[in-house]
Amino acid sequence: MPTINLLYEHEYKITDKIKVLIPTVGDILHNEDAYYSAVSMLTAMPVDMMCQLEDAGIDFTKISAFELFMLLFHGLKEMDTSLVFGDLDMKKFVMMSDETGNIVLLDRENDIVIDRGIHAMIATVLRRLHHLEQNRRKPGNEEAKRFMLRRAREKAARNKNRSVDSQLESLIVAMVNTEQYKYNLESTLDLTIYQFNECVQQTIKKVNYDNRMYGVYAGTVNAKELSQDDLNWLTHK
């Protein structure tokens, strides 16, 4: 896949007929639940949904990310994906076998195909936009798998009745009240979600750098033990 440069872009072209939009913060705030739900479905890895898969009788260690996407697609096509794909109508896609026998999604009317490779590209771009890690964890044996499932169910039970507020809104408020962040509430709304997320990561890097330097000056941090990355706040990974 070519280098993904997104800082000044408002969309990323996957194919001639498929693009991933890079919406503004303001656009997302108007439809936050639907947007992040769609992003979650498109980027989900089997380990992320191990409990749901087990409840459906599917071993999460034996299913691929694309196979999981195909399972989730019926729900995705009923959602508003306009902030992800623009005017691409997911309802027009049906599952079918291509000439090699692989299952793909096909929009016959517009001759658009989503196969394993295209889905992987879409997921990669969305992960880049939102700094999402691709969770590839797999248990080494059956005992480890049972442990992972048990822990995941315990976590789900703890979060079951927890109220869900706007995470993006809370992050915006936190950032505009941080000295290193140079935008206000209104100007933040005009940033693309990628620009905003990059600013968040860079601000975290600068705050951590400042705190380390305070420690060095105070004598509580040994500068010789710091890496070159720790000493450079101009970039982030």
Side-chain angles (χ1 to χ4, degrees):
M1 186 171 182
T3 301
I4 303 175
N5 298 312
L6 303 173
L7 189 60
Y8 297 105
E9 302 298 330
H10 290 273
E11 63 183 46
Y12 185 88
K13 193 173 183 179
I14 303 295
T15 70
D16 289 340
K17 298 181 179 181
I18 300 175
K19 62 187 177 184
V20 171
L21 299 189
I22 308 173
T24 66
V25 172
D27 288 337
I28 293 175
L29 280 174
H30 286 114
N31 203 9
E32 186 175 351
D33 289 344
Y35 177 75
Y36 283 114
S37 293
V39 170
S40 294
M41 286 187 177
L42 288 160
T43 59
M45 295 292 288
V47 68
D48 299 325
M49 302 190 68
M50 64 176 86
C51 296
Q52 297 92 322
L53 288 170
E54 184 190 43
D55 291 342
I58 300 171
D59 187 337
F60 76 93
T61 66
K62 293 181 170 59
I63 184 174
S64 69
F66 182 65
E67 289 168 335
L68 174 60
F69 166 65
M70 298 298 265
L71 289 176
L72 297 174
F73 180 71
H74 289 297
L76 182 69
K77 69 190 298 185
E78 299 302 322
M79 297 173 58
D80 179 2
T81 59
S82 58
L83 286 180
V84 180
F85 295 121
D87 57 3
L88 186 68
D89 189 350
M90 304 303 287
K91 290 184 174 66
K92 293 184 178 180
F93 285 87
V94 296
M95 294 184 190
M96 63 167 295
S97 297
D98 63 12
E99 62 274 7
T100 62
N102 293 316
I103 300 297
V104 299
L105 296 174
L106 174 65
D107 172 357
R108 287 190 177 90
E109 179 181 335
N110 298 295
D111 191 27
I112 306 174
V113 174
I114 299 178
D115 59 16
R116 187 182 300 269
I118 291 173
H119 166 256
M121 292 175 66
I122 292 170
T124 296
V125 172
L126 289 173
R127 290 189 186 103
R128 179 73 179 275
L129 288 180
H130 299 283
H131 291 271
L132 300 174
E133 294 294 330
Q134 189 174 11
N135 192 345
R136 297 180 178 274
R137 285 188 306 136
K138 283 193 175 184
N141 52 49
E142 285 298 314
E143 182 179 357
K145 183 167 72 172
R146 288 193 296 270
F147 176 78
M148 288 175 65
L149 284 163
R150 184 172 69 253
R151 291 293 299 272
R153 291 193 184 280
E154 290 171 353
K155 181 179 179 180
R158 289 195 302 270
N159 295 331
K160 183 177 181 181
N161 297 318
R162 184 175 297 177
S163 60
V164 180
D165 298 322
S166 169
Q167 294 184 3
L168 182 57
E169 187 174 286
S170 298
L171 186 55
I172 293 169
V173 172
M175 293 302 296
V176 299
N177 284 283
T178 302
E179 179 184 358
Q180 289 81 0
Y181 184 76
K182 303 305 180 183
Y183 297 89
N184 59 29
L185 288 170
E186 289 72 25
S187 58
T188 294
L189 299 180
D190 294 328
L191 295 174
T192 68
I193 191 61
Y194 180 73
Q195 290 170 339
F196 176 67
N197 287 333
E198 288 292 289
C199 287
V200 170
Q201 295 300 313
Q202 191 64 45
T203 299
I204 292 171
K205 176 89 174 186
K206 183 61 166 61
V207 169
N208 288 339
Y209 170 85
D210 289 345
N211 289 338
R212 289 191 199 97
M213 292 303 102
Y214 295 147
V216 170
Y217 299 145
T220 58
V221 174
N222 187 347
K224 294 181 179 179
E225 296 178 354
L226 297 176
S227 68
Q228 287 301 309
D229 186 55
D230 291 333
L231 295 170
N232 181 11
W233 65 269
L234 295 174
T235 61
H236 67 263
K237 297 181 181 179

